[in-house]
Amino acid sequence: MKQTKKVLVIALALAMAAAAFGGCSSGSGSEASKEASSASSAQTEASGSEELTDGDRIIAAAKEGKVGNWGLGNEYEILALLTKYEQEPKYLSQSFDMDGFDDGSITLASAMTYNELGLVKNSYEGGYGYGENIGIIDMNNEGVAMLEDNLFCTKEFAKANPNTVKAFVYASMQGWKYACEHPDEAAQIVYEAGSSVSSDHQAYMASEVKKLVETDTKGAAVTEYGKMDEEAMQQTLDLAKKYISLDDKTAADKLQTLTLDDIRDTSFLSSEKDFGTPEKTDVKIQLKWLPQCQFMGYYVAKAKGYYDEVGLNVDIISGGGDIGETTAVNNGTVDFGVTWVSNLISADAGGMDLVEVAQVFQRSGLVLVYKK
Amino acid sequence: MKKTKLGRNRERIETIVYPVMFGILIMVLWQTGLLHKLLHTDDYILPYPDKIINIITDNSDKIMVNVWASVEVALCGLLLGSVIGYLIAIIASAFPTYGAGGLTIVSAFNAIPIVALAPVIINWTKDVSTVAEERSMVAKILVVTVTSMAAMSVNAYRGLTELPQFSDDLMKTYAAGRLTEFVKLRLPNSLPYIFTALRVSVPGSVIGALVSEYFAEYIIGVGRQIRENILIAQYATAWAYIIVACLIGILMYVLLMIVEAIFLRKRR
């Protein structure tokens, strides 16, 4: 016991020495941020009891260096937002839980409306139970929305199998339509298909995803499932060109030359069943994340037999961790994939030949959440 | 005598020439695309060397910033872990009854995968500093510390306890005190074992640094860049950082070999 104690004490002392050492090496930077944090706290005091505007919150959190995002290709809207408020485009790396938000090391945390926001708000299993004690800053309202979950394949595959693509898009959108009309049933279907989260959270997710699928960035209703809205797509591409920074010069140059026609093809999307026999009947779709209602349309289409109706045998492959859906589609492991438009853009800039065939989410699901 | 010297020199040259030739062969296969055929991969996942080298030269400033961040973590953690590991070994050898058991616990730490350890340590160290850059640095160093501690303590313990019988007997006939025995016999005896430990923990410290960067709050480092670029499908850039990571590991190992050669020269 004594020895272990001794060892612990020594370890602690050395760790502290290391901390001091680390502090020295980053001296100037930390001082600057300390100044910034005192400046921002002064600002908070000055505004006193008055209601803070979203802009104030963003500036204060940015000055303190407490804006969080997951990075890894999810950060562009946050970078655009920080730039909009003339702040340094830097953020803290947020883990996939909301502990950083909970313990206060992140004051403005990134959250998807259908996932993390639900965990923060609700008190079911895995939730933090903040209820109404939180506020959100919506990327759509801030004018920095970038479109997220889409449906894509390679240009080569689309060219060689136009009927398969049309049939797959048609049946998938039927699935999305049914899922949005019956979110509770959809949640149950996904839960049974091998859910990664509790059924309560799944139900919450279904109701929130429905909003993203049926409302555009301006808040107007969308009736056509999978519609590729020109304006929203263009805004996504413009922001992508500004905020995706690539070290590979060839890729960076190519990124700037991309147009909407390079990244999306509207010819496969139709509400009519106007396609011939599918060229390829066994197809696989790679999801961006674990099985959850974010992808309920595909699970519903499979469960309700929509894929069978158009003569397709579909295998849904869930993602998670570091599986790159763009890579999986590009190298032919799977035929279709779900990714964010910005990720498709950077993949195409890097030399892949991917094309979006439907845009499922019509508005950004990303918000910044803060404690009131 | 001369012949053996010549033979040894030839052996030395061979140990350098053959690996270098093999390296060149791989590079030729890689650049000509034969490697891609052998591995059934495309030039997207495995870009050609000239492209990777171009990216390294185009971004040398940015890469160096990340390299220093990773090297700093690896070296600080290595130093801290080795010192603590050695101290543990000393304590263990001073109290042999509990020592061996204590060491088992320490080496059990080594069995924890870094991917499991890093997030936990990052959560522990949240209160260390209000500046994310500093607390991330501490967290990353602690991850490397834990991973390099075990190799040192186990090896140093052997060095401190597995003494040549005649030396031990000599100490006893002189009725040497514990301190004298420690300074004159145990300490020098453990020197080669320290290097054995470092041969394991130097490459380990680089891996520990790279992996802990994955989870750190403050975004910097070669490991983080590899992950970021793979996830946004920028394989050429990711490979540039992978090559840089390899170079860090190799250079640190070569440095260790040189230091070892200097310290252990008299023993050969």
Side-chain angles (χ1 to χ4, degrees):
Chain A
M1 266 318 277
K2 242 187 188 171
Q3 294 158 40
T4 20
K5 258 187 198 164
K6 241 189 213 170
V7 171
L8 270 175
V9 169
I10 292 163
L12 264 176
L14 282 165
M16 275 164 188
F21 177 73
C24 281
S25 67
S26 60
S28 57
S30 64
E31 241 164 64
S33 59
K34 261 174 214 152
E35 262 171 48
S37 71
S38 62
S40 70
S41 61
Q43 199 177 5
T44 325
E45 273 163 38
S47 51
S49 59
E50 284 167 47
E51 186 70 8
L52 285 172
T53 66
D54 286 351
D56 294 340
R57 288 182 202 280
I58 294 163
I59 292 168
K63 290 233 154 86
E64 278 184 289
K66 286 188 166 185
V67 179
N69 186 268
W70 311 280
L72 311 171
N74 301 309
E75 71 272 33
Y76 309 120
E77 289 170 274
I78 300 302
L79 299 182
L81 184 72
L82 289 171
T83 310
K84 180 185 162 187
Y85 287 98
E86 292 168 348
Q87 299 304 306
E88 203 189 342
K90 276 199 134 179
Y91 57 91
L92 286 185
S93 180
Q94 197 177 311
S95 59
F96 292 118
D97 54 41
M98 292 302 275
D99 288 351
F101 171 75
D102 194 36
D103 67 27
S105 55
I106 296 171
T107 53
L108 266 186
S110 290
M112 301 312 293
T113 54
Y114 51 83
N115 196 3
E116 290 84 2
L117 187 61
L119 292 177
V120 168
K121 261 191 198 168
N122 300 320
S123 42
Y124 46 61
E125 190 195 332
Y128 293 82
Y130 276 90
E132 295 305 308
N133 298 320
I134 51 152
I136 57 164
I137 297 169
D138 191 320
M139 297 305 127
N140 300 291
N141 301 340
E142 292 291 337
V144 293
M146 290 171 83
L147 293 177
E148 290 147 7
D149 293 33
N150 68 3
L151 187 58
F152 73 98
C153 61
T154 63
K155 284 177 188 148
E156 196 188 336
F157 183 84
K159 205 176 165 195
N161 309 283
N163 287 329
T164 301
V165 177
K166 278 183 186 171
F168 185 76
V169 172
Y170 173 81
S172 298
M173 293 312 124
Q174 292 290 107
W176 276 106
K177 184 166 185 277
Y178 188 90
C180 289
E181 281 162 2
H182 310 87
D184 288 338
E185 191 186 338
Q188 195 54 36
I189 289 171
V190 176
Y191 186 69
E192 280 159 15
S195 174
S196 56
V197 294
S198 73
S199 64
D200 287 336
H201 187 49
Q202 212 63 268
Y204 166 84
M205 195 180 287
S207 66
E208 285 297 324
V209 165
K210 173 184 159 77
K211 291 179 200 163
L212 299 184
V213 175
E214 296 184 330
T215 329
D216 70 11
T217 52
K218 298 195 178 68
V222 179
T223 49
E224 193 190 335
Y225 294 92
K227 180 187 170 188
M228 287 170 259
D229 182 79
E230 287 289 306
E231 205 186 326
M233 286 290 287
Q234 189 62 51
Q235 177 171 319
T236 306
L237 182 61
D238 291 344
L239 288 171
K241 284 182 181 178
K242 254 172 125 175
Y243 297 103
I244 298 179
S245 72
L246 302 173
D247 290 345
D248 180 354
K249 205 175 162 293
T250 330
D253 291 344
K254 191 173 173 200
L255 171 65
Q256 296 306 324
T257 64
L258 288 177
T259 63
L260 280 189
D261 289 332
D262 295 321
I263 58 163
R264 62 105 174 81
D265 190 334
T266 53
S267 66
F268 300 101
L269 181 69
S270 169
S271 52
E272 305 293 316
K273 220 171 168 175
D274 56 353
F275 43 83
T277 329
E279 294 85 357
K280 188 179 182 202
T281 51
D282 289 341
V283 292
K284 289 181 190 161
I285 176 171
Q286 172 73 59
L287 306 181
K288 189 180 166 59
W289 197 243
L290 304 166
Q292 56 185 22
C293 278
Q294 181 183 359
F295 315 106
M296 60 185 180
Y298 312 105
Y299 285 105
V300 167
K302 191 172 161 81
K304 290 278 162 196
Y306 297 156
Y307 289 132
D308 298 335
E309 279 171 31
V310 294
L312 291 178
N313 180 22
V314 176
D315 210 354
I316 301 175
I317 297 168
S318 62
D322 283 357
I323 290 178
E325 58 281 355
T326 48
T327 307
V329 171
N330 189 60
N331 65 22
T333 317
V334 293
D335 308 293
F336 296 97
V338 175
T339 193
W340 286 13
V341 179
S342 52
N343 298 147
L344 186 143
I345 291 170
S346 57
D348 272 3
M352 288 190 189
D353 215 10
L354 308 175
V355 65
E356 166 173 323
V357 290
Q359 180 59 45
V360 179
F361 286 11
Q362 301 293 329
R363 66 194 261 113
S364 169
L366 180 66
V367 294
L368 281 173
V369 55
Y370 57 84
K371 291 178 198 166
K372 270 184 190 161
Chain B
M1 280 302 267
K2 258 185 186 171
K3 214 175 180 183
T4 42
K5 203 180 177 187
L6 237 151
R8 202 182 293 163
N9 273 344
R10 200 178 143 188
E11 213 172 85
R12 269 189 200 159
I13 291 166
E14 277 174 356
T15 51
I16 295 174
V17 169
Y18 286 146
V20 169
M21 272 168 63
F22 184 69
I24 292 170
L25 177 72
I26 293 283
M27 288 298 271
V28 170
L29 286 179
W30 191 348
Q31 184 65 46
T32 51
L34 281 169
L35 193 65
H36 296 82
K37 282 199 185 107
L38 282 172
L39 298 174
H40 299 287
T41 184
D42 52 56
D43 62 352
Y44 193 87
I45 305 274
L46 184 62
Y48 293 115
D50 59 338
K51 184 167 188 182
I52 297 170
I53 290 162
N54 276 340
I55 292 174
I56 295 179
T57 48
D58 284 350
N59 298 284
S60 52
D61 292 348
K62 188 182 169 189
I63 289 176
M64 281 323 281
V65 170
N66 287 298
V67 165
W68 285 127
S70 301
V71 169
E72 211 176 350
V73 168
L75 285 180
C76 289
L78 181 67
L79 185 72
L80 206 62
S82 300
V83 169
I84 296 172
Y86 197 83
L87 289 177
I88 292 173
I90 292 176
I91 296 167
S93 64
F95 305 96
T97 353
Y98 311 105
L103 280 183
T104 319
I105 296 171
V106 175
S107 39
F109 266 110
N110 205 31
I112 308 173
I114 307 172
V115 278
L117 194 67
V120 175
I121 289 186
I122 283 160
N123 259 335
W124 279 351
T125 52
K126 278 225 167 139
D127 300 324
V128 169
S129 163
T130 50
V131 182
E133 191 175 356
E134 288 170 13
R135 62 172 183 262
S136 288
M137 186 84 182
V138 173
K140 288 186 279 188
I141 289 175
L142 282 179
V143 173
V144 180
T145 303
V146 172
T147 51
S148 47
M149 202 162 62
M152 181 56 81
S153 59
V154 172
N155 278 293
Y157 180 76
R158 285 185 57 199
L160 291 168
T161 51
E162 287 176 14
L163 307 168
Q165 194 59 50
F166 62 87
S167 312
D168 202 20
D169 291 343
L170 189 64
M171 284 289 164
K172 283 195 179 110
T173 50
Y174 285 156
R178 280 186 93 172
L179 188 68
T180 320
E181 193 197 347
F182 178 75
V183 175
K184 299 226 158 141
L185 175 60
R186 291 183 191 268
L187 211 59
N189 191 60
S190 71
L191 196 60
Y193 292 87
I194 292 178
F195 284 103
T196 311
L198 287 176
R199 281 181 183 217
V200 176
S201 54
V202 162
S205 72
V206 177
I207 293 170
L210 299 191
V211 176
S212 60
E213 284 162 7
Y214 275 31
F215 304 97
E217 282 179 286
Y218 191 78
I219 298 169
I220 196 162
V222 174
R224 177 76 187 203
Q225 291 293 343
I226 293 172
R227 189 180 183 211
E228 290 267 351
N229 280 294
I230 285 181
L231 273 177
I232 60 167
Q234 299 299 311
Y235 288 90
T237 313
W239 271 101
Y241 280 101
I242 292 171
I243 300 288
V244 169
C246 294
L247 288 177
I248 296 175
I250 293 169
L251 279 177
M252 280 177 65
Y253 198 76
V254 167
L255 272 176
L256 173 70
M257 292 293 104
I258 293 170
V259 174
E260 184 178 334
I262 294 168
F263 269 88
L264 301 183
R265 195 172 36 190
K266 283 177 190 164
R267 291 166 188 263
R268 291 258 158 91

